[in-house]
Amino acid sequence: MSELSTLFNPRSVVLVGATDRSTWSKMAFDNLRLLGFQGRVHLVSRGGGSAHGQPTFTSVREIGEPVDVALLMLPIAAMNDALRDLGAAGITNAVVLAGGFAETGPEGRALQDEMVATARSLGIRLLGPNCLGFINFNTGGVCWTGSMRTPPLKGGISIVSQSGAVATVMKHFAHQHGIGLNVVAATGNEAVLGLADVVDYLVDDPATRVITVFAESVRDTSLLTHAGRRALRVGKPIVILKVGRSEITVQAAQSHTGSLVGDDSVFDGVCQQLGLVRVRSIEELMFTAALLEKTGVLQGEGVAVLSASGGMGELAADYAHLEGVCLPRLAPGTLAALSSALPPMATPANPLDLTGAVVNKPELFLDCMQALEQDPAVSVLVCVFDVPTDLNNDWAPFAVGSLQAIGRFKPQGRVRFLAISNTVKYVSDRSRAEVEAAGMPYLPCGLDVGMKALRHALRWSAWQREGAGRNSTPPALVVTPACLPTSEAESMAYLAGAGVAVVPQVLAASADMAASAAAAMGGPVVLKIASPDIAHKTEVGGVLLNLHGDAAVAEGFRRIVSSAQSALPEARLDGVIVSPMRRGGVELFVGVRRDEQWGHVMALGLGGVWIEALKDVSLRVLPVTPAEVRRMVAELRGASLLDGFRGATPVNLDELARMVSRIGDAALALGDTLDTLEVNPLLAEGDRIEALDALATYR
């Protein structure tokens, strides 16, 4: 925190490469004046003279006083000499504007590596290169070479973006819709300081109430995980827009897990695990952040909507349904209170139509909101209303009276209140002044985006209400077995030793041994070929089900061996695995695969053939607690199958969560060379949770 505070909260700034001929230099200097920076601003130009109306120094060392941050607006060839000049002057923070480094290829990468080596040897932290810099709206400290909107709007939302252009769009969008900002930082090439470093800093920044992120990739997954857990613990939302949904970066033709765990799918699981709010657009990003800044933690799930239009109320109900936002039935007492306040032609309901009577009586907004606030099922109250702008002479008496009536509503206790525009609206200076004067929490995002933002806020609030249990990091097994299991029999034995319940197995080397093993099991059995070279047994005729009697089992042994030898003559055959036949229950799939960015990732979904047909999976980075596994189960579309669907025995979800968590721990204990560990199926019926098949592979 203290190290980056001098960067993002500077008391003095030096612009290196200052010149009246440079648009970048002019904008950087003007931005300091525009934001009202009260610290010292120094200019350095190798040729001396003056720039932007003040004298320049020919080197940073000539300044002769401490400087917190330097903005380097120089060509690549001059960069290392400039860094050495900074080092001699004791400056430890620098923003590098220039491009042409690693983003251009191997030659640029070499230049960037050389620059980083110079900076590290001098103890200088770099933001960039190839970046626009940063803005601190609240302090006026800014090293930003892009344009600025006026007047600057101060607030508690901070922006971290790997793209300077996207950061600019987000900043301008926020201004257009009356959203105040704190820190805006563009990280560029992230040669030294990256996205995760800035997010981690902002978790501790008292002026930041919500962190928004635009990410193209996550380079430091460990630090982002650390920052995410800390943000969840202190109640500071992180809202993130990450590109790459269409790119599958992990493929493995012979692994179910490999085909399911793509980079983007893993990141979805990470967001669920860390409590990061993932959104799909800049509009969603900024309005979700604005909503969270206004409401904080919501105390329940129920939302009540009121408007001056029945049609808009119906749209609100549809949008809420699409987003899974609950509009509860109102209590009899609430309906009675509304009936006494509403005109005779109005019908008390949720959503509530105030009817055209509100045109002559704007106080209906206030009276009905006060009635809705008392309903025990309502935690969030949404008033659909357009604050006037300066277009079409819309400051009519009805609009002004309604704004004032809504502004007089001050919820007491647990209920949170929002006014949301009918459609997306810009906010004029007068609009903003009137909203601030009324003290009204207003989102000009329209009902569609508004319900999306509300859904995100409700989910984040639920994570917060879950408390410390949500944020715990489970201890993981660290003891790697002396001999890594490779075959199915070895993998199943290893899981059993790790506390996972597995179906009994006997490895038979002959038909007679198979028949004897089946007889001892006392019922129908399953036969499976045992070979370290055959991962998918059914494809080579290597599985037979529901065999009864010595003769059938012996014949089955011979058929399986013959079929496997015909299909794969070079495969090594260890024999045939004999197991009791299991019926009923729900088949699940548990797969672990090593992701290049996040490490070992677990996929949980419906098993058997459904894993390929439905791809209904939930993902998490290991290790996972049983509580986290319960959340994974709840995310599955087929979760109802575990609750006793159509008379089946309900699955003991606590026992299932314990078993899946143990599989995850067992996978981690196999070490970094583990590529995949798959349990398919994991049979679940009542209290019996049992692995029927497992296989580990290694890199």
Side-chain angles (χ1 to χ4, degrees):
M1 173 68 181
S2 60
E3 290 183 355
L4 293 188
S5 182
T6 56
L7 171 61
F8 294 116
N9 295 281
R11 295 162 299 179
S12 55
V13 173
V14 57
L15 306 184
V16 182
T19 171
D20 290 329
R21 297 186 303 274
S22 168
T23 301
W24 305 113
S25 178
K26 185 178 186 304
M27 283 196 291
F29 185 81
D30 289 346
N31 288 338
L32 285 159
R33 295 291 179 257
L34 180 64
L35 265 65
F37 181 58
Q38 297 300 306
R40 299 290 297 274
V41 179
H42 308 284
L43 306 181
V44 169
S45 173
R46 187 171 59 179
S50 64
H52 315 314
Q54 77 177 53
T56 67
F57 298 94
T58 58
S59 75
V60 176
R61 283 170 290 181
E62 290 182 6
I63 295 173
E65 62 182 67
V67 179
D68 286 330
V69 60
L71 173 58
L72 304 183
M73 301 174 290
L74 300 167
I76 293 175
M79 201 62 64
N80 287 308
D81 286 342
L83 289 173
R84 284 187 279 270
D85 188 25
L86 297 186
I91 298 176
T92 57
N93 298 305
V95 178
V96 181
L97 168 65
F101 287 98
E103 77 277 10
T104 64
E107 291 184 6
R109 165 63 66 181
L111 292 170
Q112 181 169 303
D113 290 344
E114 181 184 0
M115 179 183 66
V116 169
T118 301
R120 291 192 186 281
S121 69
L122 298 167
I124 298 174
R125 290 177 292 273
L126 297 180
L127 184 65
N130 189 31
C131 83
L132 292 179
F134 72 88
I135 308 165
N136 190 318
F137 281 94
N138 282 301
T139 68
V142 53
C143 286
W144 186 262
T145 52
S147 63
M148 199 75 65
R149 292 291 176 96
T150 56
L153 302 182
K154 301 177 182 180
I157 297 173
S158 289
I159 294 172
V160 189
S161 174
Q162 289 176 324
S163 164
V166 172
T168 300
V169 170
M170 292 165 65
K171 175 174 66 67
H172 288 354
F173 183 87
H175 189 280
Q176 183 179 13
H177 296 285
I179 299 172
L181 301 176
N182 178 34
V183 170
V184 176
T187 58
N189 286 12
E190 301 189 348
V192 175
L193 294 176
L195 177 145
D197 295 284
V198 182
V199 170
D200 191 53
Y201 159 75
L202 292 172
V203 172
D204 294 316
D205 177 28
T208 297
R209 291 191 290 275
V210 182
I211 302 168
T212 64
V213 177
F214 172 76
E216 294 162 329
S217 64
V218 179
R219 293 178 172 89
D220 192 338
T221 57
S222 177
L223 182 55
L224 186 64
T225 298
H226 172 72
R229 291 192 184 280
R230 293 199 309 113
L232 195 60
R233 187 161 55 245
V234 302
K236 185 171 289 189
I238 299 176
V239 188
I240 187 162
L241 171 61
K242 182 181 178 296
V243 296
R245 288 184 180 273
S246 62
E247 180 183 0
I248 301 300
T249 60
V250 179
Q251 289 290 347
Q254 298 301 317
S255 168
H256 295 307
T257 313
S259 65
L260 291 168
V261 182
D263 175 75
D264 194 68
S265 299
V266 173
F267 190 73
D268 271 341
V270 168
C271 290
Q272 292 290 328
Q273 198 164 0
L274 299 179
L276 309 179
V277 179
R278 189 176 187 188
V279 298
R280 297 179 58 180
S281 67
I282 289 175
E283 293 87 345
E284 241 183 285
L285 181 73
M286 297 312 302
F287 284 129
T288 298
L291 190 155
L292 284 164
E293 184 187 21
K294 296 177 190 302
T295 66
V297 179
L298 303 174
Q299 298 305 311
E301 302 292 331
V303 177
V305 177
L306 77 162
S307 74
S309 163
M312 292 308 299
E314 291 161 359
L315 278 174
D318 275 355
Y319 293 143
H321 174 74
L322 290 171
E323 299 302 329
V325 172
C326 173
L327 302 187
R329 292 183 180 273
L330 301 177
T334 307
L335 295 174
L338 289 172
S339 293
S340 65
L342 290 166
M345 68 278 201
T347 302
N350 184 21
L352 177 64
D353 176 13
L354 299 178
T355 74
V358 74
V359 174
N360 294 320
K361 190 180 178 182
E363 294 79 13
L364 279 176
F365 277 112
L366 177 60
D367 296 341
C368 291
M369 286 190 287
Q370 289 175 336
L372 289 167
E373 179 188 14
Q374 304 305 315
D375 194 288
V378 173
S379 297
V380 185
L381 185 54
V382 174
C383 181
V384 183
F385 176 72
D386 285 346
V387 171
T389 59
D390 296 318
L391 300 175
N392 303 321
N393 193 29
D394 56 359
W395 288 94
F398 157 69
V400 175
S402 297
L403 188 152
Q404 292 171 347
I406 296 168
R408 287 198 296 274
F409 176 65
K410 306 299 178 187
Q412 304 296 318
R414 65 184 185 85
V415 174
R416 299 291 186 268
F417 159 56
L418 288 165
I420 296 180
S421 61
N422 291 276
T423 58
V424 181
K425 304 274 286 188
Y426 97 99
V427 175
S428 67
D429 291 345
R430 182 179 176 185
S431 303
R432 187 166 53 252
E434 293 289 348
V435 167
E436 291 174 356
M440 183 175 73
Y442 178 55
L443 286 181
C445 57
L447 280 175
D448 187 8
V449 176
M451 283 299 170
K452 289 181 171 67
L454 189 53
R455 184 244 305 171
H456 293 310
L458 288 166
R459 180 178 298 175
W460 178 82
S461 297
W463 290 335
Q464 281 294 307
R465 295 197 301 271
E466 289 179 23
R470 170 91 206 183
N471 207 10
S472 59
T473 303
L477 294 174
V478 294
V479 179
T480 301
C483 182
L484 296 177
T486 54
S487 66
E488 177 191 345
E490 291 174 354
S491 299
M492 292 284 279
Y494 170 68
L495 288 175
V500 179
V502 302
V503 68
Q505 288 192 333
V506 173
L507 179 60
S510 66
D512 289 342
M513 288 179 62
S516 297
M521 291 174 184
V525 296
V526 175
L527 300 185
K528 294 182 287 186
I529 195 69
S531 168
D533 302 321
I534 302 175
H536 298 282
K537 307 172 188 65
T538 55
E539 295 175 5
V540 298
V543 179
L544 291 175
L545 306 177
N546 201 29
L547 298 179
H548 300 261
D550 292 353
V553 171
E555 174 59 22
F557 179 97
R558 289 187 285 269
R559 283 174 54 195
I560 282 179
V561 171
S562 175
S563 178
Q565 288 175 333
S566 298
L568 295 172
E570 303 300 322
R572 294 165 292 170
L573 303 184
D574 296 333
V576 171
I577 296 171
V578 184
S579 295
M581 180 74 187
R582 299 301 196 206
R583 302 179 185 278
V586 179
E587 291 186 353
L588 296 168
F589 169 87
V590 181
V592 174
R593 183 177 178 87
R594 182 170 181 81
D595 180 80
E596 290 303 319
Q597 281 191 303
W598 296 96
H600 285 110
V601 176
M602 172 182 283
L604 172 66
L606 294 177
V609 298
W610 299 113
I611 189 65
E612 292 180 345
L614 299 181
K615 293 181 173 59
D616 179 19
V617 295
S618 177
L619 304 176
R620 292 295 188 275
V621 176
L622 294 179
V624 292
T625 62
E628 192 65 42
V629 176
R630 286 293 301 265
R631 286 185 280 270
M632 295 174 70
V633 171
E635 292 169 12
L636 298 176
R637 297 190 300 274
S640 60
L641 296 177
L642 303 172
D643 296 331
F645 187 73
R646 293 194 173 181
T649 303
V651 173
N652 183 333
L653 296 180
D654 288 333
E655 183 63 18
L656 173 63
R658 280 191 289 270
M659 286 298 161
V660 173
S661 178
R662 288 174 186 172
I663 292 171
D665 287 345
L668 286 180
L670 292 174
D672 287 342
T673 62
L674 178 72
D675 187 27
T676 65
L677 172 63
E678 295 186 359
V679 177
N680 186 24
L682 179 72
L683 188 66
E685 184 177 27
D687 296 331
R688 178 165 59 90
I689 315 296
E690 193 175 44
L692 303 189
D693 198 342
L695 185 66
T697 64
Y698 304 88
R699 294 185 294 166

